[in-house]
Amino acid sequence: MSEDAPPTTLERAYRVRLSPTADQARTLRRLFGARRFLWNWALKLDRALRASGQRSGVTAWSAALTALKREPDTAWLADLPR
């Protein structure tokens, strides 16, 4: 092997099957749904902040998320684990 060759990498894949109970499945669906909701909300917030010329940083995101959790329609976010 020459000194100029890139280091070799080994890639592996693992297949895992989960068999959650009904309660666990409900919790997982809730968490995955919240993740998707927050992802779409964050994209919308980022675009709005950039369009208005504001910085899209940790401070703005944290304040906006705290305010979102306090709104009546999205208060369910406060019940989820961080």
Side-chain angles (χ1 to χ4, degrees):
M1 190 148 90
S2 72
E3 292 180 19
D4 296 332
T8 33
T9 59
L10 179 65
E11 294 183 19
R12 293 184 181 173
Y14 296 94
R15 188 173 294 204
V16 178
R17 179 173 294 183
L18 299 177
S19 299
T21 64
D23 288 340
Q24 291 170 334
R26 194 174 315 112
T27 300
L28 288 172
R29 280 192 306 272
R30 189 172 179 209
L31 289 172
F32 294 150
R35 190 219 52 91
R36 182 179 178 143
F37 172 83
L38 286 173
W39 176 263
N40 291 328
W41 170 83
L43 286 175
K44 191 174 171 181
L45 175 65
D46 186 57
R47 289 181 184 141
L49 288 173
R50 290 175 189 259
S52 67
Q54 296 178 17
R55 290 188 68 177
S56 177
V58 174
T59 305
W61 287 85
S62 179
L65 182 57
T66 300
L68 182 68
K69 288 180 180 181
R70 290 183 179 153
E71 292 180 12
D73 291 341
T74 52
W76 54 270
L77 288 170
D79 297 335
L80 298 172
R82 295 184 179 126

